[in-house]
Amino acid sequence: MYLLLSILSSTAIFVLFKSFDKYGVNTLHAIVVNYLTAAVCGFVFSKSEIEFSTLTSSTWFIPSLMLGFLFITMFYVMALTAQKNGLSVASVASKMSVIIPIIFGITVFKESIGLAKSIGIFLALVAVYLTSTASKKKTKNKRSILVLPFLVFFGSGVVDTSINYFAPDDNIPIFSATIFAMAALLGILLVAFKTATQNKRIDVNVFPFGIALGVVNYGSIFFLLNALRMDGVETSSIFTINNVAIVALSTLCGLFIFKEIISLKNWLGIGMALVSIIIVSLN
């Protein structure tokens, strides 16, 4: 159930990103509202008392601040990728990065890597590649086709790996809320600077989109971390199933909601994604 909710939440993030462009929502402003909302969710759902001295002395506090910086940076790049390169390309570039936490889990956590699991992971990566050709949207800036997805790929891999490594088993809501609060603070400073220098006002239409994004964003992290901490599961398997399912579902959303063009290769990729999920799950 945690894994399913993580997949649905993460897919909703990409759908909302694409909606920003459709409804003329200021991406940066909505992202700031999103992180404020996600931080509030984390503090509200925390079952333990919040003491600032205890919080700052935690071993994960400094890493969570660094992750907050990465979060808002990668979120903005992911939004640009979804708008300029298409919904499926953004989700694929993000979820292709699954190879980074997989390698980390196998080398650092000494997780198993049998034949069946290796085949499943390989099929998952092939599925991601095939699905990535879904967007036929043309852009005049050819360099953005390469740069934006690459930044999303590398940054998402680092974020996923770091979250799993530093997250405390006993206080996931506060850990998540601290990351989101740091990202929100950086976003507020950036928006304030742009408002002062460019005389741009904050449109009220960013609030419903930003709040919706914040709720599903918090859910995607909260549910994924809980899935990773279930007994008897390995991070390499969870990340593989989670990421390839998001790719397939996001691509289908791009087809049915935003009328993106999907080729025969994409359908093959979606089918291969389902096969890889079954193999890794059974393994």
Side-chain angles (χ1 to χ4, degrees), residues 4-23:
L4 175 61
L5 290 172
S6 174
I7 292 168
L8 293 176
S9 298
S10 296
T11 303
I13 290 175
F14 289 105
V15 173
L16 285 169
F17 274 156
K18 190 67 175 179
S19 300
F20 288 179
D21 189 37
K22 181 178 180 181
Y23 293 101

Side-chain angles (χ1 to χ4, degrees), residues 2-140:
Y2 281 134
L3 187 57
L4 175 61
L5 290 172
S6 174
I7 292 168
L8 293 176
S9 298
S10 296
T11 303
I13 290 175
F14 289 105
V15 173
L16 285 169
F17 274 156
K18 190 67 175 179
S19 300
F20 288 179
D21 189 37
K22 181 178 180 181
Y23 293 101
V25 178
N26 186 295
T27 300
L28 178 59
H29 294 173
I31 287 177
V32 174
V33 175
N34 139 78
Y35 279 126
L36 286 171
T37 304
V40 169
C41 288
F43 289 123
V44 168
F45 290 116
S46 174
K47 297 179 180 180
S48 60
E49 294 184 3
I50 304 171
E51 296 183 3
F52 185 74
S53 59
T54 304
L55 184 67
T56 55
S57 62
S58 302
T59 56
W60 47 263
F61 181 70
I62 297 300
S64 68
L65 298 182
M66 297 173 62
L67 280 168
F69 172 78
L70 283 176
F71 260 50
I72 192 166
T73 303
M74 292 313 306
F75 234 49
Y76 190 67
V77 174
M78 285 167 59
L80 289 178
T81 305
Q83 294 165 11
K84 294 181 179 295
N85 300 73
L87 179 65
S88 58
V89 173
S91 63
V92 166
S94 171
K95 299 312 169 185
M96 189 75 169
S97 65
V98 67
I99 192 64
I100 297 177
I102 286 176
I103 293 174
F104 189 85
I106 293 171
T107 56
V108 177
F109 295 147
K110 308 301 180 183
E111 295 179 351
S112 63
I113 183 65
L115 179 61
K117 189 174 183 178
S118 300
I119 293 175
I121 292 173
F122 174 76
L123 289 177
L125 295 175
V126 174
V128 168
Y129 170 76
L130 292 175
T131 312
S132 68
T133 61
S135 177
K136 299 296 182 181
K137 185 177 179 179
K138 296 182 179 180
T139 176
K140 295 180 180 180

Side-chain angles (χ1 to χ4, degrees), residues 19-277:
S19 300
F20 288 179
D21 189 37
K22 181 178 180 181
Y23 293 101
V25 178
N26 186 295
T27 300
L28 178 59
H29 294 173
I31 287 177
V32 174
V33 175
N34 139 78
Y35 279 126
L36 286 171
T37 304
V40 169
C41 288
F43 289 123
V44 168
F45 290 116
S46 174
K47 297 179 180 180
S48 60
E49 294 184 3
I50 304 171
E51 296 183 3
F52 185 74
S53 59
T54 304
L55 184 67
T56 55
S57 62
S58 302
T59 56
W60 47 263
F61 181 70
I62 297 300
S64 68
L65 298 182
M66 297 173 62
L67 280 168
F69 172 78
L70 283 176
F71 260 50
I72 192 166
T73 303
M74 292 313 306
F75 234 49
Y76 190 67
V77 174
M78 285 167 59
L80 289 178
T81 305
Q83 294 165 11
K84 294 181 179 295
N85 300 73
L87 179 65
S88 58
V89 173
S91 63
V92 166
S94 171
K95 299 312 169 185
M96 189 75 169
S97 65
V98 67
I99 192 64
I100 297 177
I102 286 176
I103 293 174
F104 189 85
I106 293 171
T107 56
V108 177
F109 295 147
K110 308 301 180 183
E111 295 179 351
S112 63
I113 183 65
L115 179 61
K117 189 174 183 178
S118 300
I119 293 175
I121 292 173
F122 174 76
L123 289 177
L125 295 175
V126 174
V128 168
Y129 170 76
L130 292 175
T131 312
S132 68
T133 61
S135 177
K136 299 296 182 181
K137 185 177 179 179
K138 296 182 179 180
T139 176
K140 295 180 180 180
N141 189 354
K142 301 297 183 180
R143 183 177 296 179
S144 68
I145 298 178
L146 299 175
V147 174
L148 290 176
F150 175 78
L151 290 175
V152 170
F153 165 79
F154 183 75
S156 297
V158 172
V159 167
D160 286 344
T161 304
S162 301
I163 287 176
N164 183 40
Y165 184 77
F166 291 111
D169 295 339
D170 58 342
N171 213 341
I172 291 176
I174 293 296
F175 174 75
S176 303
T178 305
I179 295 175
F180 292 134
M182 179 61 181
L185 176 61
L186 293 173
I188 290 172
L189 293 175
L190 181 57
V191 169
F193 174 77
K194 283 197 169 187
T195 302
T197 57
Q198 301 177 10
N199 196 26
K200 287 187 176 181
R201 295 181 178 180
I202 298 178
D203 297 327
V204 294
N205 67 334
V206 305
F207 288 99
F209 285 94
I211 292 172
L213 183 62
V215 172
V216 295
N217 190 18
Y218 173 77
S220 68
I221 299 299
F222 176 80
F223 295 130
L224 177 60
L225 287 176
N226 276 281
L228 288 167
R229 273 146 184 78
M230 295 294 291
D231 294 334
V233 300
E234 294 185 335
T235 60
S236 53
S237 297
I238 292 295
F239 274 119
T240 300
I241 297 170
N242 183 71
N243 288 23
V244 75
I246 293 170
V247 167
L249 187 57
S250 296
T251 302
L252 291 176
C253 287
L255 170 66
F256 292 111
I257 299 177
F258 300 106
K259 310 303 180 183
E260 293 185 351
I261 300 174
I262 295 184
S263 67
L264 181 60
K265 283 184 178 181
N266 307 141
W267 288 115
L268 179 61
I270 292 174
M272 193 172 292
L274 297 176
V275 173
S276 69
I277 290 173

